[in-house]
Structures are given as structure tokens and as C-alpha cells.
Amino acid sequence: MQTDNRDHIDELIDLYALGMLEPDDQQRSDAHLAACGRCRGLLEDARHVVDVMAFTPEQHDPPPDLRRKVLTRIERLQKTERQAAAYTRRPSLWARLFGSISSLRLIATVAMVLALLLGGQALLLRREIDSLQSEMRTLQPVADLLKQPGVQMIALTKQGDPTTIHGYMLLRPDDREAFLSTAELAPLPQGQTYQLWLINGDQPESAGIFSTDAQGVGYVRVQAQQPLGAYQAVGISVEPAGGSKQPTTTPIVLSQISTGS
Amino acid sequence: MVEQDEVLIRRLAQGDIRALDELYTRYARPVYSLALRILADSADAEEVVQDVFERVWRHAPSYDASRGKFGTWLMSMAHHISIDRVRKQQRRPQASNDESNQLALERAVDREDVSETGLRNVEAQQVRRALRSLPEQQRTAIELAYFGGLSHIEIASALGDPLGTVKARIRRGMERLRSALSGIAIENDM
């Protein structure tokens, strides 16, 4: 029973563990739990019960062919990713990239000629080419980074739900520069921005602001003050336009940077 | 020699697909059973199993044993994926829809249980027994939350009870489940 501990959140702990809190209560609880070891202990006990509940349903054997389906799916994915990795490691990638850029330049030249001949339609084509070239310039640092040894990929997971992934960060622990791409982060209304934080101890350090497109995709070239291996976590919060010195809202993404071998 | 889950996940992170085969042997049944319980559809439950093991494979390199047991992590994923799927399929009961409320109740409320083996399953048996022994209203509220993915507001609406009453039932029920796990008996209430 609560007495003088009016700030504790005993009444919310079980609902929190069951994932039932409304957003306001969730935010209040997160803020309190960050600073209260007693309530974190209560939450741990409640979570243990919830974890065990996953094993309580009546047990059914999965269909016999499901194992084959699972393994076939993973083998296919494994093969595809190995091919992709081998492709990005090939030295000829650069020749291919430059070849593509040369091709784009050629197309651009042709487009310019067409622009003289066909006017507006060709100008539209030129704009599309410019857009493609811009996209290639954006992605080139990723290709550069992937060529380096010891590159690590950190999954950016939703705060409180480690199974929902909102993107990945590519980094080398000794570097101060990294690359981050997001997925399914809804575009924000005017006046708000996403802000990336690198967290060392209890000290969040801003690593840039960014926006996302209609598909929730955004790219950030991260510039850190220290080598990235010095940070323990990476977070993303919603901040007022222009960003904040310190996070002013609960991070929607919070992931540990595990750089151990 | 039986390899621990953590050893298997390390092997999987190094690309050894046989480790995934072994993890499937150990966990496909509880994952499938949980998904079936939540979704009440065997085809949906099969898809959840495939999604879960794909995520295990994808996240094996970043799995950190110091942050929790593999089985807990895996079942948490299975729960999240199943609940997300229920919500996307709009099977959640709406406040004004008595028929769908009833379906959610029927889906979420406990059915006959069977026993398993292993330490985790001893705990699962304790919680099962404790769930069965709860007053029906407490049990229903907890099961609607966990297996139905409903918020306390939605549960109050589905059951036609005041919000405060639903919260109190969940707290009392959870307290009894905690006690069951810690081996402490408490007196009946409600």
C-alpha cells in the first residue's frame, strides 16, 4: 500500500508489464522508472509473471511441414544476403558505380539535347536523373563504409518493444562517423523533427536531426564527438524543429550499441 | 551433449543453419501454441512461427545473453508478432460491437491445459494453476490483456465494467500469480 511515496507508480506496474498502458501513462511510467530502482524491481517481478504466461496456453504440435518451410525460407534469405554481401565487397562495384554515373551523365546529356527538341517533357526527365544522382550521392557513404573491415550493424528497435525495428545503424567502433537509415518512422508535422542521440553513461549527445519521407525512410550521416565504441546506446526522439540540447520527449527508439567482439 | 540455447544462437550468428533447426525443435511448439491461442487460426499461427524464426536468424548476431534468457526473448517476440497481427486484422473488439467482444472473450479465456517438461514449464504449470484458481473476473481481465492484446479501457468496454474495477481486478490477479511463482499462498479475494 502506498503511503508517502506519492511519486511511485505501483498502480501502473502490472498494466505496464502487460503492455496495456495508454500513451500518457506509459510516458509517465518510463520517466519514473528511469530514476526509481524500487519500481524497476516491482516491474521485473511483474514481467516475470508475464514472461511465464507465454508458456501457459494448451500445447499443440505445429504441422509437420512447418519446419521445412521455416528452414527453406531462412536458407533462401541467407543465400540472398550472402550474394548481396559478396556483391558489395567486389572491387568492381566501384567500376560499376562509376559506370552507372557515367551512364547517367550520358543520359543527362541526351536529356539535355532532348530538352532542346522536346521542351518540357525532357526537362522532367532531367529532373528525374538529377534526383537519381542525388540518391546515389546519398548512398555512396554507405557503400564506402561497407567496404571497411569490422563494420557492425545495430538494429534500431522501438522503445519497450525490441521486436519492432525502425532502422539500422552501420558503424565501426573506432570511427566517429556512422550511417543510419530508418524505416517506418512516420513523417512528422511541421514544427517537429526527429533527433538522434548517442548515449554515454547518462549523458545523451545530439548526433543530428532528420526527417523521413512518406514511407518512413530517412538517412542520417552520424558525426559523433567520440569514437562510436565509447557509446552505450543510440536513441531517437521527437523534438521541436531545429532540435534540442537534451531530449525533451521519451525516445521512441532506444537500442544498445554492443561493440564487443 | 545438449548445447545451451546461447551456444546455439552463437552458432546461428556464425551462419550455422543447423543451430536454427535445433532451436526450432526446442521452441516451435510453444511459439505455435501461443500464436494459436492469440490468433485462433492455424494458418496465422504458422506464419507467426515463420516470422519469429526469421527474426531469430536476423537478430542472432546482436543477441545479448546478459539482457535476458533466449526463451523469454523468443516468446516475447512471438507474443508481440501475434498481438500485432490480431490488431492489423482488426479482430480487436470495438466498444460498440457486442459480437466481436464476445469473440475476443471466447478467444482469450483459458482452455484446457496440458503439461510440459523443463524448469520454465514447471513455472508455467504454477501460473496455469494459479490462473485457473483466480476468480473468473480477474482471470478474464488478465487473459483479455495478455492473449487479447486489449488495453484496460477496451477491457472495461468489452466487459461493461468500470475502469477502476478492471484495474483493481488485474492488480489482484497479478498479485496472486506473482505469489504462485514465489510459492506464497494468499487468501481468496473477490
Side-chain angles (χ1 to χ4, degrees):
Chain A
M1 179 171 290
Q2 283 181 257
T3 52
D4 61 343
N5 48 0
R6 59 192 166 86
D7 290 326
H8 288 317
I9 53 166
D10 297 32
E11 79 285 1
L12 299 178
I13 292 288
D14 292 324
L15 302 179
Y16 189 112
L18 284 162
M20 298 171 68
L21 287 180
E22 300 294 331
D24 285 354
D25 283 339
Q26 180 78 39
Q27 200 163 343
R28 179 160 77 90
S29 303
D30 285 336
H32 179 78
L33 287 162
C36 180
R38 172 192 173 276
C39 287
R40 281 200 301 275
L42 292 177
L43 179 61
E44 204 172 308
D45 289 345
R47 275 190 169 149
H48 181 51
V49 173
V50 172
D51 289 343
V52 174
M53 281 182 75
F55 292 88
T56 59
E58 178 186 0
Q59 296 295 293
H60 299 272
D61 286 324
D65 65 337
L66 186 55
R67 178 191 298 267
R68 183 189 50 77
K69 284 183 190 170
V70 168
L71 294 176
T72 304
R73 178 166 160 177
I74 302 304
E75 278 163 357
R76 277 197 194 129
L77 287 166
Q78 199 175 37
K79 191 175 169 188
T80 305
E81 298 210 351
R82 276 181 182 158
Q83 284 170 343
Y87 183 81
T88 53
R89 281 197 296 270
R90 281 163 59 182
S92 62
L93 169 69
W94 301 104
R96 284 161 188 261
L97 270 177
F98 290 128
S100 301
I101 290 168
S102 299
S103 301
L104 285 170
R105 283 194 181 129
L106 177 64
I107 293 168
T109 307
V110 172
M112 285 173 73
V113 174
L114 284 174
L116 293 171
L117 298 172
L118 301 172
Q121 275 190 328
L123 281 172
L124 285 175
L125 179 59
R126 174 60 202 242
R127 272 190 209 124
E128 199 169 324
I129 290 164
D130 286 346
S131 164
L132 281 169
Q133 285 179 323
S134 166
E135 198 169 323
M136 285 187 74
R137 278 194 296 274
T138 305
L139 293 174
Q140 186 152 331
V142 181
D144 286 339
L145 188 57
L146 282 170
K147 270 184 73 182
Q148 305 294 321
V151 177
Q152 297 184 7
M153 187 163 72
I154 308 287
L156 304 173
T157 57
K158 186 178 175 184
Q159 165 91 301
D161 175 9
T163 65
T164 299
I165 294 177
H166 279 303
Y168 291 92
M169 185 159 84
L170 289 171
L171 62 89
R172 294 177 72 225
D174 295 336
D175 287 353
R176 292 168 194 261
E177 192 171 277
F179 198 85
L180 178 144
S181 69
T182 66
E184 295 183 26
L185 274 184
L188 293 171
Q190 212 166 13
Q192 290 186 327
T193 184
Y194 287 113
Q195 189 160 4
L196 183 71
W197 304 96
L198 293 168
I199 299 159
N200 186 358
D202 57 356
Q203 195 57 44
E205 171 189 312
S206 175
I209 58 174
F210 65 97
S211 57
T212 57
D213 63 17
Q215 282 73 46
V217 176
Y219 299 107
V220 190
R221 196 168 183 172
V222 180
Q223 304 279 349
Q225 290 173 18
Q226 302 173 61
L228 287 147
Y231 298 93
Q232 288 87 52
V234 55
I236 296 172
S237 65
V238 176
E239 301 295 335
S244 306
K245 287 186 178 172
Q246 291 291 303
T248 60
T249 63
T250 305
I252 49 177
V253 164
L254 191 61
S255 293
Q256 203 168 6
I257 298 178
S258 176
T259 56
S261 55
Chain B
M1 189 178 72
V2 178
E3 287 180 300
Q4 290 190 333
D5 292 346
E6 285 68 23
V7 175
L8 290 172
I9 199 90
R10 272 202 299 277
R11 277 177 46 200
L12 182 60
Q14 290 160 2
D16 184 353
I17 209 81
R18 287 168 304 174
L20 189 73
D21 193 19
E22 177 58 31
L23 289 169
Y24 181 93
T25 301
R26 294 182 190 183
Y27 288 102
R29 193 167 188 248
V31 169
Y32 179 75
S33 301
L34 177 62
L36 191 61
R37 171 70 183 277
I38 291 170
L39 291 154
D41 182 286
S42 57
D44 283 345
E46 280 191 47
E47 286 185 26
V48 169
V49 173
Q50 294 192 56
D51 288 349
V52 166
F53 282 95
E54 182 184 331
R55 287 198 193 190
V56 168
W57 171 71
R58 280 197 186 285
H59 299 308
S62 59
Y63 171 72
D64 180 358
S66 69
R67 296 175 69 185
K69 285 186 181 299
F70 172 77
T72 303
W73 177 63
L74 179 90
M75 295 306 284
S76 171
M77 271 198 291
H79 182 251
H80 274 114
I81 293 171
S82 302
I83 293 295
D84 277 354
R85 194 172 274 260
V86 163
R87 288 175 176 160
K88 281 179 185 160
Q89 290 171 347
Q90 297 180 319
R91 289 186 185 172
R92 300 185 80 176
Q94 303 299 309
S96 59
N97 187 337
D98 290 342
E99 192 177 340
S100 59
N101 289 353
Q102 190 56 39
L103 282 174
L105 283 169
E106 286 170 4
R107 196 176 66 243
V109 172
D110 199 11
R111 302 167 195 162
E112 188 184 351
D113 299 321
V114 296
S115 63
E116 309 157 30
T117 57
L119 179 62
R120 174 65 82 182
N121 299 321
V122 172
E123 290 186 314
Q125 279 186 29
Q126 285 175 305
V127 171
R128 266 191 218 117
R129 270 199 293 269
L131 267 171
R132 277 203 218 105
S133 72
L134 289 180
E136 190 181 341
Q137 290 165 321
Q138 290 178 14
R139 184 170 64 123
T140 301
I142 289 174
E143 291 186 336
L144 276 174
Y146 185 75
F147 297 116
L150 305 192
S151 72
H152 52 297
I153 294 172
E154 289 168 320
I155 293 172
S157 171
L159 298 175
D161 290 322
L163 195 55
T165 305
V166 168
K167 283 184 180 177
R169 282 179 190 151
I170 288 170
R171 281 197 70 186
R172 288 193 192 110
M174 286 290 287
E175 194 179 333
R176 291 167 66 100
L177 298 182
R178 266 193 297 275
S179 299
L181 276 181
S182 61
I184 301 166
I186 60 171
E187 292 179 7
N188 283 341
D189 55 358
M190 287 197 70

